[in-house]
Each structure stands twice: as C-alpha cells, then as structure tokens.
Amino acid sequence: MQGRVIRHIPPYRGIDAIQGEWPLFIWLVVFTNLARISISLYFVPHQALGAEMTSDFTERSALVGYRVFFGVLGGFAATIIGFQFFFSPTAEFANGQLNAAAYAPFAATLSLLMAGTIFWSSWGTRSVIPFLPKTAPDAPVGAFAFLGRVLQDMITALRCGSFAWLFGGVLVIYVMIGVNTALDLYMYTYFWELKHSHIVTLATAYPVGLMLGSVIAPSLQRRFGKRW
C-alpha cells in the first residue's frame, strides 16, 4: 500500500510501467525548482517592500511583525484545511495523509487561496506607491554584464559585517525550516507513529508560538532597542 501511494503522487500516466527511479527524480527536480522560482518572483519583492515603505526602524519592525503573523496564520490555515477536509481518516487509509488522491484537490484549493491573498495584498499596498523611493533608470546591459554586477553587489554586501552575520543567520534558519517542513509529516507518521488528531494538535504549537512572538517583538524592540 505504501509503495503504491508513493508511486502515484506525480501525475505520470503509466508510471508503473517505467523502470527505475530516474523519471521520478527528474520530475521532482524540475517541479521543485519551478515551484521555488515561482515563489521567489513574489516573495523577494514582498520581503523588500517592507523596507521600502518606511525608513523608520520601529515601523519596519511592526510591518515585519504583521507579515510574519499573517504568513504563519496562512500556513497554519493550510494545515488545518488539509487535515480537516482532505486527509481525514477513512476505512482504506487510517492515516489520511497517505491518500494520494487527496493531494490534487488540496493543492488546487491552496493555490486559489494563495493567489487570492497575493492579489489582495498587492491591491492593498497601491496607496504607498507615490511615496516609495525613486531610482534613476539604468542603461540597458547585456546578460553577462548584469550577472557580473550582481556578483559584484553580492561581494560588496558580504564585506559588510552586519550583513554577513544577518545573511549567515537567515541561511541557517531557512535550511532548518526547509528540512523541518519537508520531513515533519514523515516523522509524525512513521517515526513517532502519531494519530491524525495528535498531528493536528502538535501542528498548532509552532504557528501559535510564532504568532505570539510576532505580536510581542515590536514592543520589545521599542523597549530595549534594535541591538537587544
């Protein structure tokens, strides 16, 4: 049962007839990178917009707090929607997350919710466009010149001690988050052998803690200052 479920996750027609794991590996690499590139097209400008909207550090901290709060709330909502509506235990699957047929409608539902949220957020920030910093347009450059400029900017940034520490810390945190996010469901299901209700309960601890922290952090920053 476990092997059958895993083989049918990618949308291959007749994948059972394909010998070896290379087609599955290629599918995973291609679509993982396409997904990450698509995320970056929105996430990088979204992250940068907070610093562009205000130059006051306290206001920036408040904006980041709101962003983290609603971002974690969205992730938490996705978990609840998944386990309550798509991965509920059935007679065939005691662990509903092993039901491969539930993943396509689950992904479609989250896609619609994410797209709606992105457009709503973008539409809501239109009022700040006239107040954003203005930059002079650069002369058009070729692809290699552009990549060289990006590399030079990266080297300049890494020479700044504060940025190097920030970049290193964020890199470690996101590696940890990526590994944790990718393996959590497997650990809960196969290592800890948790029941459906236990997974839902445990999944609330992380987002609740982060949402509380995002609310408290701006007040702590105003009280103790940027460094502390």
Side-chain angles (χ1 to χ4, degrees):
M1 177 64 69
Q2 177 185 343
R4 180 177 69 82
V5 170
I6 292 176
R7 285 200 306 272
H8 280 77
I9 289 177
Y12 271 121
R13 291 185 177 180
I15 191 172
D16 291 329
I18 299 176
Q19 300 297 321
E21 298 183 352
W22 276 106
L24 181 61
F25 173 75
I26 294 172
W27 179 91
L28 180 63
V29 169
V30 170
F31 281 93
T32 298
N33 280 279
L34 287 176
R36 293 296 177 183
I37 292 171
S38 300
I39 291 172
S40 298
L41 292 176
Y42 169 76
F43 188 69
V44 172
H46 172 69
Q47 291 284 91
L49 184 60
E52 296 290 319
M53 290 173 66
T54 176
S55 59
D56 182 79
F57 185 81
T58 301
E59 291 181 349
R60 287 180 176 178
S61 299
L63 286 173
V64 171
Y66 285 121
R67 183 170 61 199
V68 171
F69 179 88
F70 286 105
V72 174
L73 180 63
F76 179 52
T79 301
I80 297 301
I81 290 172
F83 279 95
Q84 290 298 116
F85 298 100
F86 295 96
F87 305 136
S88 298
T90 63
E92 185 180 2
F93 297 97
N95 288 319
Q97 63 268 26
L98 299 181
N99 181 11
Y103 280 86
F106 174 59
T109 301
L110 292 191
S111 297
L112 292 175
L113 291 174
M114 284 188 289
T117 304
I118 287 172
F119 282 112
W120 181 33
S121 174
S122 301
W123 187 263
T125 56
R126 291 179 307 115
S127 60
V128 304
I129 292 176
F131 307 102
L132 295 177
K134 303 297 187 298
T135 58
D138 295 328
V141 295
F144 289 104
F146 177 77
L147 292 176
R149 182 184 299 177
V150 171
L151 180 60
Q152 184 179 3
D153 290 342
M154 291 175 60
I155 294 174
T156 302
L158 290 173
R159 286 176 178 171
C160 174
S162 298
F163 177 82
W165 279 102
L166 176 64
F167 179 80
V170 170
L171 180 63
V172 171
I173 289 172
Y174 273 95
V175 168
M176 177 190 69
I177 291 175
V179 173
N180 184 72
T181 303
L183 299 181
D184 257 355
L185 192 57
Y186 297 97
M187 293 292 292
Y188 292 160
T189 304
Y190 297 112
F191 184 79
W192 298 111
E193 298 182 353
L194 299 178
K195 296 180 180 179
H196 176 271
S197 59
H198 295 161
I199 295 177
V200 175
T201 303
L202 185 60
T204 63
Y206 177 75
V208 168
L210 270 181
M211 286 189 289
L212 289 174
S214 65
V215 172
I216 296 172
S219 298
L220 293 177
Q221 186 275 323
R222 286 192 296 269
R223 173 66 177 83
F224 297 104
K226 177 179 178 179
R227 177 179 178 182
W228 295 107

